[in-house]
Amino acid sequence: MMIVTMQPGASVAQIGAVLRHCQERDLRPVPSHGTERTVIGVIHADQRTDLSAVASLPGVDQVTPVSAALQLVSREFRDEPTVVHVGGVAIGGPEFVVMAGPCSVETEAQINACARQVGACGGRILRGGAYKPRTSPYSFQGLGEEGLQLLTAAGRAVGLPTVTEVMHPDLVETVARYADILQIGARNVQNYALLSAVGRVRKPVLLKRGLMTTIEELLMAAEYILAGGNGQVILCERGIRTFETSVRNTLDVSAVPVIKSQSHLPVILDPSHAAGKREFVPALALASLAAGADGIMVEMHPVPEEAYSDGRQSLDFPGFAALMDSLRPVGAALGRHVAAVRPDLTEASA
Ligand code: PEP
Ligand code: MN
């Protein structure tokens, strides 16, 4: 790849001419419009292609060849943080965004109650699995498309965008028809067909780190999505497999500063799948905020003991409300905003 840095005042026509020049030569230009200048990453499969002509086009400031595997995700390509916008929520900006909901969408009443509680407490995005990656083939596999319908309707009723997992390239279109954010689960982080498929979609992607993937491998997985033309990627650390057995996975808090130093993409943490036990979730959530994450994704259930999946790690409603209340003052001390409770959704006004 090479990085074409345009001059600060380069015109739309000059940028367009560079894009056309590349396209006519079978090069794939990926523009990134910053506040000061536009930078264009140019992907070329053939390393012998002569790229020198680009440097002399009007408006071009500099052409830098890059050889590393990390390109579009890197800070060298784009130094400004990427902010992912979804339904009025900005992930990667000053707000610490809380995504919450049940592990699985189970019934209409269950997801509606969750949506209301998430919104009431200041959660900004509703999660809920409809296609579930279960370790055992005999465990509940999710409600499928019906789950997507219930999730979207529940989110809409309280004004929350939704995030849900897509497990197969063939299902990307269906899931994208309902959900606002497409989740790639930990087990699929290196499913390159799936990554390429969500790269072609114009909806944000939440990419979870695998149980056994390094940060570099996670970033390269994200590179597939960006190279496919979708720059709206949120990375998620959800605990990795270590020798420790007292928690389900070990939350790698260091992933936050490491990723931030290498990439412009927003990073959230998932304390629920890391802890595996609800009593440890609040501490890890607070650590996520303190470490500089852009948000968290938390599992919550009206009756955790009866959940079809991940009940042991799911907060109950009062637990979630208490967590939200504990995040606010810490966020304020750190200059991160945590959304306020919504009186329109609290019990009294129901
Ligand atoms: C989930 O979010 O419910 C989930 C299955 O997560 P992970 O892919 O991180 O295990
Ligand atoms: Mn889960």
Side-chain angles (χ1 to χ4, degrees):
M1 187 174 93
M2 66 172 168
I3 294 174
V4 180
T5 309
M6 301 300 292
Q7 289 162 1
S11 67
V12 175
Q14 288 173 333
I15 296 166
V18 173
L19 299 180
R20 263 194 316 283
H21 174 96
C22 295
Q23 282 153 354
E24 282 161 8
R25 284 157 186 79
D26 276 338
L27 307 171
R28 195 142 53 83
V30 184
S32 164
H33 305 287
T35 44
E36 258 185 41
R37 50 167 100 212
T38 293
V39 172
I40 304 166
V42 182
I43 301 166
H44 52 101
D46 188 346
Q47 296 302 324
R48 294 160 302 182
T49 312
D50 182 17
L51 306 167
S52 56
V54 179
S56 53
L57 293 176
V60 173
D61 188 13
Q62 211 177 306
V63 174
T64 324
V66 190
S67 56
L70 295 178
Q71 303 174 344
L72 302 173
V73 300
S74 73
R75 284 214 167 262
E76 284 78 57
F77 175 61
R78 182 187 161 93
D79 198 33
E80 267 176 69
T82 286
V83 180
V84 173
H85 294 273
V86 53
V89 182
I91 302 144
E95 179 173 353
F96 182 77
V97 175
V98 176
M99 311 182 182
C103 179
S104 302
V105 177
E106 299 169 1
T107 64
E108 187 175 6
Q110 174 244 20
I111 192 63
N112 286 347
C114 286
R116 201 173 178 83
Q117 178 70 355
V118 170
C121 297
R124 300 281 271 151
I125 292 173
L126 178 66
R127 68 147 283 148
Y131 298 92
K132 297 303 301 177
R134 303 307 300 280
T135 304
S136 163
Y138 308 119
S139 299
F140 175 62
Q141 304 284 310
L143 295 181
E145 191 162 351
E146 189 198 343
L148 297 176
Q149 286 163 353
L150 295 176
L151 175 72
T152 317
R156 272 213 194 108
V158 295
L160 295 178
T162 55
V163 56
T164 195
E165 178 162 355
V166 55
M167 293 206 298
H168 195 281
D170 292 350
L171 283 169
V172 168
E173 211 185 296
T174 306
V175 176
R177 218 180 311 129
Y178 294 97
D180 298 296
I181 303 176
L182 307 182
Q183 176 174 327
I184 303 290
R187 288 151 196 83
N188 271 319
V189 64
Q190 290 180 310
N191 180 337
Y192 300 114
L194 184 58
L195 296 173
S196 299
V198 296
R200 291 189 288 270
V201 170
R202 292 292 156 268
K203 286 215 167 167
V205 175
L206 176 68
L207 177 63
K208 294 187 98 174
R209 181 182 182 182
L211 285 74
M212 304 285 276
T213 40
T214 63
I215 292 171
E216 191 183 20
E217 286 162 346
L218 171 66
L219 290 172
M220 282 200 250
E223 185 78 24
Y224 268 85
I225 305 173
L226 270 68
N230 187 352
Q232 303 288 94
V233 176
I234 305 155
L235 302 171
C236 178
E237 152 65 31
R238 44 77 75 208
I240 52 176
R241 191 162 274 184
T242 69
F243 53 82
E244 182 53 65
T245 53
S246 52
V247 284
R248 185 176 178 186
N249 294 285
T250 299
L251 185 70
D252 181 11
V253 179
S254 58
V256 177
V258 172
I259 291 170
K260 292 262 171 206
S261 73
Q262 295 178 14
S263 177
H264 50 85
L265 295 174
V267 188
I268 69 163
L269 298 190
D270 171 349
S272 303
H273 289 87
K277 295 175 184 150
R278 81 181 62 86
E279 59 272 30
F280 301 139
V281 169
L284 301 186
L286 286 162
S288 309
L289 173 56
D294 297 299
I296 46 174
M297 183 153 91
V298 181
E299 286 185 342
M300 184 198 75
H301 193 283
V303 192
E305 298 71 29
E306 292 174 12
Y308 294 0
S309 60
D310 286 350
R312 185 65 187 87
Q313 69 197 30
S314 299
L315 297 174
D316 59 14
F317 283 12
F320 178 67
L323 170 62
M324 292 302 295
D325 288 342
S326 72
L327 289 171
R328 268 181 218 102
V330 178
L334 294 162
R336 292 307 283 273
H337 176 69
V338 177
V341 294
R342 276 175 57 186
D344 64 307
L345 292 177
T346 51
E347 216 77 56
S349 59

